[in-house]
Amino acid sequence: MLKGCYHYFIHDKMNPRTRKFLSFLYESSQQMKFTEIRAENNASTVTEFLLLGFLDLPNLRGILFGMFSIIYLIILIGNTFIIVITRIDPALQKPMYFFLANFSSLEICYVSVTLPRILFSIATQERNISVLSCATQLCFFLMLGATECFLLAVMSYDRYVAICNPLHYPLVMNPTKCIQLAAGSWLGGIPVQIGQTCQIFSLHFCSSNQINHFFCDIPPILKLACGDTTINELSVYLVAILFAAVPFLLILASYSKIIATILKLPTATGRAKAFSTCSSHLLVVFLFFGSASITYLRPKSTHSPGTDKLLSLFYTIVTPMLNPMIYSLRNKEVIAALRKLLRIK
């Protein structure tokens, strides 16, 4: 419309000031249109990201590779040990250890999404990752993270039934119910997390392709997006509340009833035994939910690369490494099963 007016008045006898003003408007609209096209072209040119990782610690490259390799081996060996021992020992054929074996399997998958890529980047200094690979890593990381939240809630429910309703425990936590709860934990977060990943990677990335992190995570990726990401941040908060805050509140509700029941037990021995079966799980809950909640429930403006990396290291690597130790060293039945296994060998 502005173009038509311009060509109409340019041939007419009119005030020079008016003609100059119309010329300015026309040229401005053309420049804005050119800028928008250039921005769209720039946004579509990002085909891969650059994971900066531990680029700021070049002198510690060998130490980091050795440390992460040892941690990965500890996680694999420790969790595999728990899976094997809960399968072969008849004394551990209980719902509690069925869920513990699922949890150990989950930890192996969860760590394998990020740690091999970290080791590869440190060893080869190859930091490029395609947009598709980055989206795949994020999607699996989010799905397994949701599974961990659900599985921790299911394990607390198992302890609640065992301590608060011991007579009904075999009926309530029957094999079919256990399989259903485990399957629901593994599959429950898949549709939502796939949708969230697609939503994040439908954004335009026009400012930079450098991810100041050691894996593809939501906060550093959103920082690279151009334009308003308020809707995306809101969806992240809603998903975090659904998959982290709600299970955590259910865990707290279960343990409040568990503690109240334990305190009513008549003997000190009974109270100590009940607390010992719950303390390991409760410690794992606070380690995982504490660090993950701080990461995903903080506003985007308060995120800093150093803090995000530290927190991510804690709930993606340190906690999975500690879990087998917590569950094995603090559980008398697991220690007894290990002694029996070693004695047989």
Side-chain angles (χ1 to χ4, degrees), residues 187-201:
L187 303 175
I190 291 178
V192 175
Q193 299 298 7
I194 289 176
Q196 181 167 251
T197 303
C198 293
Q199 184 190 43
I200 289 171
F201 281 89

mmCIF file with all atom_site columns, all heavy atoms in Angstrom, residues 187-201:
data_model
loop_
_atom_site.group_PDB
_atom_site.id
_atom_site.type_symbol
_atom_site.label_atom_id
_atom_site.label_alt_id
_atom_site.label_comp_id
_atom_site.label_asym_id
_atom_site.label_entity_id
_atom_site.label_seq_id
_atom_site.pdbx_PDB_ins_code
_atom_site.Cartn_x
_atom_site.Cartn_y
_atom_site.Cartn_z
_atom_site.occupancy
_atom_site.B_iso_or_equiv
_atom_site.pdbx_formal_charge
_atom_site.auth_seq_id
_atom_site.auth_comp_id
_atom_site.auth_asym_id
_atom_site.auth_atom_id
_atom_site.pdbx_PDB_model_num
ATOM 1   N N   . LEU A 1 187 ? 7.431  -45.309 31.227 1.00 0.00 ? 187 LEU A N   1
ATOM 2   C CA  . LEU A 1 187 ? 6.735  -44.806 30.027 1.00 0.00 ? 187 LEU A CA  1
ATOM 3   C C   . LEU A 1 187 ? 5.972  -43.502 30.256 1.00 0.00 ? 187 LEU A C   1
ATOM 4   O O   . LEU A 1 187 ? 5.617  -42.821 29.292 1.00 0.00 ? 187 LEU A O   1
ATOM 5   C CB  . LEU A 1 187 ? 5.752  -45.865 29.516 1.00 0.00 ? 187 LEU A CB  1
ATOM 6   C CG  . LEU A 1 187 ? 6.345  -47.238 29.167 1.00 0.00 ? 187 LEU A CG  1
ATOM 7   C CD1 . LEU A 1 187 ? 5.245  -48.214 28.795 1.00 0.00 ? 187 LEU A CD1 1
ATOM 8   C CD2 . LEU A 1 187 ? 7.364  -47.112 28.043 1.00 0.00 ? 187 LEU A CD2 1
ATOM 9   N N   . GLY A 1 188 ? 5.730  -43.140 31.525 1.00 0.00 ? 188 GLY A N   1
ATOM 10  C CA  . GLY A 1 188 ? 4.849  -42.015 31.825 1.00 0.00 ? 188 GLY A CA  1
ATOM 11  C C   . GLY A 1 188 ? 5.292  -40.672 31.286 1.00 0.00 ? 188 GLY A C   1
ATOM 12  O O   . GLY A 1 188 ? 4.470  -39.843 30.895 1.00 0.00 ? 188 GLY A O   1
ATOM 13  N N   . GLY A 1 189 ? 6.599  -40.430 31.235 1.00 0.00 ? 189 GLY A N   1
ATOM 14  C CA  . GLY A 1 189 ? 7.066  -39.111 30.820 1.00 0.00 ? 189 GLY A CA  1
ATOM 15  C C   . GLY A 1 189 ? 7.388  -38.971 29.348 1.00 0.00 ? 189 GLY A C   1
ATOM 16  O O   . GLY A 1 189 ? 7.705  -37.869 28.891 1.00 0.00 ? 189 GLY A O   1
ATOM 17  N N   . ILE A 1 190 ? 7.301  -40.071 28.591 1.00 0.00 ? 190 ILE A N   1
ATOM 18  C CA  . ILE A 1 190 ? 7.758  -40.038 27.195 1.00 0.00 ? 190 ILE A CA  1
ATOM 19  C C   . ILE A 1 190 ? 6.988  -39.031 26.330 1.00 0.00 ? 190 ILE A C   1
ATOM 20  O O   . ILE A 1 190 ? 7.605  -38.193 25.664 1.00 0.00 ? 190 ILE A O   1
ATOM 21  C CB  . ILE A 1 190 ? 7.701  -41.460 26.580 1.00 0.00 ? 190 ILE A CB  1
ATOM 22  C CG1 . ILE A 1 190 ? 8.778  -42.335 27.233 1.00 0.00 ? 190 ILE A CG1 1
ATOM 23  C CG2 . ILE A 1 190 ? 7.894  -41.409 25.067 1.00 0.00 ? 190 ILE A CG2 1
ATOM 24  C CD1 . ILE A 1 190 ? 8.786  -43.776 26.751 1.00 0.00 ? 190 ILE A CD1 1
ATOM 25  N N   . PRO A 1 191 ? 5.638  -39.066 26.292 1.00 0.00 ? 191 PRO A N   1
ATOM 26  C CA  . PRO A 1 191 ? 4.936  -38.136 25.386 1.00 0.00 ? 191 PRO A CA  1
ATOM 27  C C   . PRO A 1 191 ? 5.210  -36.667 25.701 1.00 0.00 ? 191 PRO A C   1
ATOM 28  O O   . PRO A 1 191 ? 5.457  -35.864 24.784 1.00 0.00 ? 191 PRO A O   1
ATOM 29  C CB  . PRO A 1 191 ? 3.449  -38.483 25.602 1.00 0.00 ? 191 PRO A CB  1
ATOM 30  C CG  . PRO A 1 191 ? 3.441  -39.830 26.218 1.00 0.00 ? 191 PRO A CG  1
ATOM 31  C CD  . PRO A 1 191 ? 4.683  -39.924 27.030 1.00 0.00 ? 191 PRO A CD  1
ATOM 32  N N   . VAL A 1 192 ? 5.175  -36.305 26.983 1.00 0.00 ? 192 VAL A N   1
ATOM 33  C CA  . VAL A 1 192 ? 5.359  -34.902 27.361 1.00 0.00 ? 192 VAL A CA  1
ATOM 34  C C   . VAL A 1 192 ? 6.774  -34.432 27.045 1.00 0.00 ? 192 VAL A C   1
ATOM 35  O O   . VAL A 1 192 ? 6.978  -33.327 26.524 1.00 0.00 ? 192 VAL A O   1
ATOM 36  C CB  . VAL A 1 192 ? 5.045  -34.706 28.861 1.00 0.00 ? 192 VAL A CB  1
ATOM 37  C CG1 . VAL A 1 192 ? 5.345  -33.267 29.293 1.00 0.00 ? 192 VAL A CG1 1
ATOM 38  C CG2 . VAL A 1 192 ? 3.587  -35.034 29.143 1.00 0.00 ? 192 VAL A CG2 1
ATOM 39  N N   . GLN A 1 193 ? 7.765  -35.262 27.333 1.00 0.00 ? 193 GLN A N   1
ATOM 40  C CA  . GLN A 1 193 ? 9.154  -34.840 27.118 1.00 0.00 ? 193 GLN A CA  1
ATOM 41  C C   . GLN A 1 193 ? 9.504  -34.775 25.630 1.00 0.00 ? 193 GLN A C   1
ATOM 42  O O   . GLN A 1 193 ? 10.297 -33.924 25.218 1.00 0.00 ? 193 GLN A O   1
ATOM 43  C CB  . GLN A 1 193 ? 10.112 -35.786 27.847 1.00 0.00 ? 193 GLN A CB  1
ATOM 44  C CG  . GLN A 1 193 ? 9.928  -35.827 29.359 1.00 0.00 ? 193 GLN A CG  1
ATOM 45  C CD  . GLN A 1 193 ? 10.192 -34.485 30.027 1.00 0.00 ? 193 GLN A CD  1
ATOM 46  O OE1 . GLN A 1 193 ? 10.396 -33.460 29.383 1.00 0.00 ? 193 GLN A OE1 1
ATOM 47  N NE2 . GLN A 1 193 ? 10.171 -34.476 31.348 1.00 0.00 ? 193 GLN A NE2 1
ATOM 48  N N   . ILE A 1 194 ? 8.912  -35.639 24.819 1.00 0.00 ? 194 ILE A N   1
ATOM 49  C CA  . ILE A 1 194 ? 9.099  -35.515 23.363 1.00 0.00 ? 194 ILE A CA  1
ATOM 50  C C   . ILE A 1 194 ? 8.504  -34.192 22.877 1.00 0.00 ? 194 ILE A C   1
ATOM 51  O O   . ILE A 1 194 ? 9.113  -33.466 22.079 1.00 0.00 ? 194 ILE A O   1
ATOM 52  C CB  . ILE A 1 194 ? 8.462  -36.707 22.626 1.00 0.00 ? 194 ILE A CB  1
ATOM 53  C CG1 . ILE A 1 194 ? 9.270  -37.985 22.880 1.00 0.00 ? 194 ILE A CG1 1
ATOM 54  C CG2 . ILE A 1 194 ? 8.375  -36.437 21.121 1.00 0.00 ? 194 ILE A CG2 1
ATOM 55  C CD1 . ILE A 1 194 ? 8.658  -39.231 22.271 1.00 0.00 ? 194 ILE A CD1 1
ATOM 56  N N   . GLY A 1 195 ? 7.296  -33.866 23.374 1.00 0.00 ? 195 GLY A N   1
ATOM 57  C CA  . GLY A 1 195 ? 6.658  -32.599 23.000 1.00 0.00 ? 195 GLY A CA  1
ATOM 58  C C   . GLY A 1 195 ? 7.480  -31.396 23.440 1.00 0.00 ? 195 GLY A C   1
ATOM 59  O O   . GLY A 1 195 ? 7.624  -30.420 22.689 1.00 0.00 ? 195 GLY A O   1
ATOM 60  N N   . GLN A 1 196 ? 8.039  -31.449 24.653 1.00 0.00 ? 196 GLN A N   1
ATOM 61  C CA  . GLN A 1 196 ? 8.841  -30.327 25.145 1.00 0.00 ? 196 GLN A CA  1
ATOM 62  C C   . GLN A 1 196 ? 10.117 -30.161 24.324 1.00 0.00 ? 196 GLN A C   1
ATOM 63  O O   . GLN A 1 196 ? 10.518 -29.037 24.001 1.00 0.00 ? 196 GLN A O   1
ATOM 64  C CB  . GLN A 1 196 ? 9.199  -30.531 26.621 1.00 0.00 ? 196 GLN A CB  1
ATOM 65  C CG  . GLN A 1 196 ? 10.016 -29.385 27.195 1.00 0.00 ? 196 GLN A CG  1
ATOM 66  C CD  . GLN A 1 196 ? 10.093 -29.427 28.704 1.00 0.00 ? 196 GLN A CD  1
ATOM 67  O OE1 . GLN A 1 196 ? 9.505  -28.612 29.398 1.00 0.00 ? 196 GLN A OE1 1
ATOM 68  N NE2 . GLN A 1 196 ? 10.832 -30.390 29.222 1.00 0.00 ? 196 GLN A NE2 1
ATOM 69  N N   . THR A 1 197 ? 10.743 -31.264 23.946 1.00 0.00 ? 197 THR A N   1
ATOM 70  C CA  . THR A 1 197 ? 11.953 -31.200 23.118 1.00 0.00 ? 197 THR A CA  1
ATOM 71  C C   . THR A 1 197 ? 11.643 -30.587 21.758 1.00 0.00 ? 197 THR A C   1
ATOM 72  O O   . THR A 1 197 ? 12.389 -29.738 21.268 1.00 0.00 ? 197 THR A O   1
ATOM 73  C CB  . THR A 1 197 ? 12.546 -32.610 22.943 1.00 0.00 ? 197 THR A CB  1
ATOM 74  O OG1 . THR A 1 197 ? 12.811 -33.182 24.225 1.00 0.00 ? 197 THR A OG1 1
ATOM 75  C CG2 . THR A 1 197 ? 13.836 -32.546 22.152 1.00 0.00 ? 197 THR A CG2 1
ATOM 76  N N   . CYS A 1 198 ? 10.543 -31.015 21.148 1.00 0.00 ? 198 CYS A N   1
ATOM 77  C CA  . CYS A 1 198 ? 10.157 -30.447 19.843 1.00 0.00 ? 198 CYS A CA  1
ATOM 78  C C   . CYS A 1 198 ? 9.869  -28.953 19.958 1.00 0.00 ? 198 CYS A C   1
ATOM 79  O O   . CYS A 1 198 ? 10.228 -28.177 19.065 1.00 0.00 ? 198 CYS A O   1
ATOM 80  C CB  . CYS A 1 198 ? 8.926  -31.179 19.301 1.00 0.00 ? 198 CYS A CB  1
ATOM 81  S SG  . CYS A 1 198 ? 9.224  -32.899 18.859 1.00 0.00 ? 198 CYS A SG  1
ATOM 82  N N   . GLN A 1 199 ? 9.243  -28.550 21.053 1.00 0.00 ? 199 GLN A N   1
ATOM 83  C CA  . GLN A 1 199 ? 8.936  -27.136 21.252 1.00 0.00 ? 199 GLN A CA  1
ATOM 84  C C   . GLN A 1 199 ? 10.215 -26.310 21.378 1.00 0.00 ? 199 GLN A C   1
ATOM 85  O O   . GLN A 1 199 ? 10.335 -25.231 20.782 1.00 0.00 ? 199 GLN A O   1
ATOM 86  C CB  . GLN A 1 199 ? 8.084  -26.965 22.508 1.00 0.00 ? 199 GLN A CB  1
ATOM 87  C CG  . GLN A 1 199 ? 7.631  -25.521 22.749 1.00 0.00 ? 199 GLN A CG  1
ATOM 88  C CD  . GLN A 1 199 ? 6.994  -25.342 24.117 1.00 0.00 ? 199 GLN A CD  1
ATOM 89  O OE1 . GLN A 1 199 ? 7.487  -25.862 25.103 1.00 0.00 ? 199 GLN A OE1 1
ATOM 90  N NE2 . GLN A 1 199 ? 5.896  -24.610 24.169 1.00 0.00 ? 199 GLN A NE2 1
ATOM 91  N N   . ILE A 1 200 ? 11.189 -26.811 22.118 1.00 0.00 ? 200 ILE A N   1
ATOM 92  C CA  . ILE A 1 200 ? 12.440 -26.073 22.316 1.00 0.00 ? 200 ILE A CA  1
ATOM 93  C C   . ILE A 1 200 ? 13.214 -25.964 21.015 1.00 0.00 ? 200 ILE A C   1
ATOM 94  O O   . ILE A 1 200 ? 13.727 -24.894 20.664 1.00 0.00 ? 200 ILE A O   1
ATOM 95  C CB  . ILE A 1 200 ? 13.287 -26.759 23.411 1.00 0.00 ? 200 ILE A CB  1
ATOM 96  C CG1 . ILE A 1 200 ? 12.636 -26.548 24.782 1.00 0.00 ? 200 ILE A CG1 1
ATOM 97  C CG2 . ILE A 1 200 ? 14.718 -26.214 23.421 1.00 0.00 ? 200 ILE A CG2 1
ATOM 98  C CD1 . ILE A 1 200 ? 13.256 -27.355 25.892 1.00 0.00 ? 200 ILE A CD1 1
ATOM 99  N N   . PHE A 1 201 ? 13.293 -27.048 20.253 1.00 0.00 ? 201 PHE A N   1
ATOM 100 C CA  . PHE A 1 201 ? 14.089 -27.030 19.023 1.00 0.00 ? 201 PHE A CA  1
ATOM 101 C C   . PHE A 1 201 ? 13.319 -26.479 17.823 1.00 0.00 ? 201 PHE A C   1
ATOM 102 O O   . PHE A 1 201 ? 13.860 -26.455 16.714 1.00 0.00 ? 201 PHE A O   1
ATOM 103 C CB  . PHE A 1 201 ? 14.640 -28.425 18.739 1.00 0.00 ? 201 PHE A CB  1
ATOM 104 C CG  . PHE A 1 201 ? 15.845 -28.747 19.573 1.00 0.00 ? 201 PHE A CG  1
ATOM 105 C CD1 . PHE A 1 201 ? 15.697 -29.332 20.814 1.00 0.00 ? 201 PHE A CD1 1
ATOM 106 C CD2 . PHE A 1 201 ? 17.119 -28.425 19.143 1.00 0.00 ? 201 PHE A CD2 1
ATOM 107 C CE1 . PHE A 1 201 ? 16.792 -29.609 21.608 1.00 0.00 ? 201 PHE A CE1 1
ATOM 108 C CE2 . PHE A 1 201 ? 18.222 -28.695 19.915 1.00 0.00 ? 201 PHE A CE2 1
ATOM 109 C CZ  . PHE A 1 201 ? 18.067 -29.282 21.153 1.00 0.00 ? 201 PHE A CZ  1
#
